[in-house]
Amino acid sequence: MPTPTRGPRLGGSPAHERLMLANLATSLFKHGRIQTTETKAKRLRPLAERLITKAKRGDLHARRQALSVVRDKDVVFALFDQIAPRFSNRQGGYTRIVKTGPRKGDAAPMAIIELVEELEVAAPKAPRKAARQAAQADSIAVLAGDEADETPAAPAAKADAKPEAEASEAKDEETKA
């Protein structure tokens, strides 16, 4: 059994606190971010991250456990089919808490809790190796003299072709005039 949190509860009873956190988790998964008090956000974070971890597992038992907390079937469906795949390559830290200013009415410290964006999958290292190996093969070919004969001849041919093209254009202009 989990150790109860220290200090006063968020609601009047443990049942009220559990239901309030379940409603906050439902809203978080439905909207992606919610604004609440700092205390509620800090208490919601472990619950939301446990639910995302269960959703990453994806089996029937995990789905039933999530349904015992989040009572909305549409939100559980979104959690398992849209939210969990976003975090497939992340080991934890699915939520972020950003503190905002005090609430206008009672000056309670407010915070925004949101789901972090998915990590970009890094490009595989195989293309780098292939590019490096191709560059090494080219440098070896140059050192061996394979491309040394072809490289100087090509610019010389281009340089020779340019004056000839200009001369032929000049002759065409003279004949027209």
Side-chain angles (χ1 to χ4, degrees):
M1 178 162 190
T3 307
T5 58
R6 295 182 183 185
R9 290 188 183 84
L10 296 177
S13 66
H16 182 250
E17 180 178 343
R18 193 168 40 248
L19 289 172
M20 189 171 21
L21 289 175
N23 288 337
L24 285 170
T26 302
S27 297
L28 176 64
F29 296 139
K30 185 184 288 185
H31 302 293
R33 68 182 349 204
I34 56 172
Q35 183 173 7
T36 183
T37 62
E38 284 182 20
T39 308
K40 288 179 186 176
K42 287 178 182 178
R43 296 287 291 277
L44 174 62
R45 174 183 261 175
L47 176 68
E49 294 199 1
R50 266 194 307 261
L51 288 171
I52 292 172
T53 303
K54 287 177 184 177
K56 281 174 54 176
R57 246 182 27 215
D59 56 352
L60 180 63
H61 182 62
R63 190 175 292 266
R64 286 181 176 164
Q65 284 180 327
L67 271 168
S68 69
V69 176
V70 177
R71 302 297 174 123
D72 190 356
K73 290 182 182 180
D74 294 334
V75 173
V76 172
F77 178 78
L79 174 64
F80 275 74
D81 290 348
Q82 296 168 3
I83 297 172
R86 283 178 26 193
F87 299 115
S88 61
N89 59 349
R90 185 182 277 264
Q91 295 297 317
Y94 312 116
T95 58
R96 172 188 306 130
I97 297 176
V98 180
K99 296 179 180 180
T100 59
R103 186 163 47 196
K104 188 174 182 181
D106 59 353
M110 298 297 287
I112 294 174
I113 183 168
E114 60 187 356
L115 298 173
V116 297
E117 296 300 317
E118 66 273 6
L119 289 175
E120 297 296 325
V121 178
K125 293 185 179 180
R128 282 187 182 173
K129 274 189 174 178
R132 187 182 309 141
Q133 289 173 350
Q136 286 177 351
D138 290 343
S139 65
I140 290 172
V142 169
L143 292 175
D146 294 342
E147 291 184 26
D149 297 334
E150 298 172 11
T151 308
K158 288 180 185 175
D160 293 339
K162 213 175 207 181
E164 291 174 6
E166 291 174 2
S168 64
E169 287 177 12
K171 287 180 184 177
D172 290 340
E173 288 178 12
E174 289 176 8
T175 55
K176 288 180 185 177

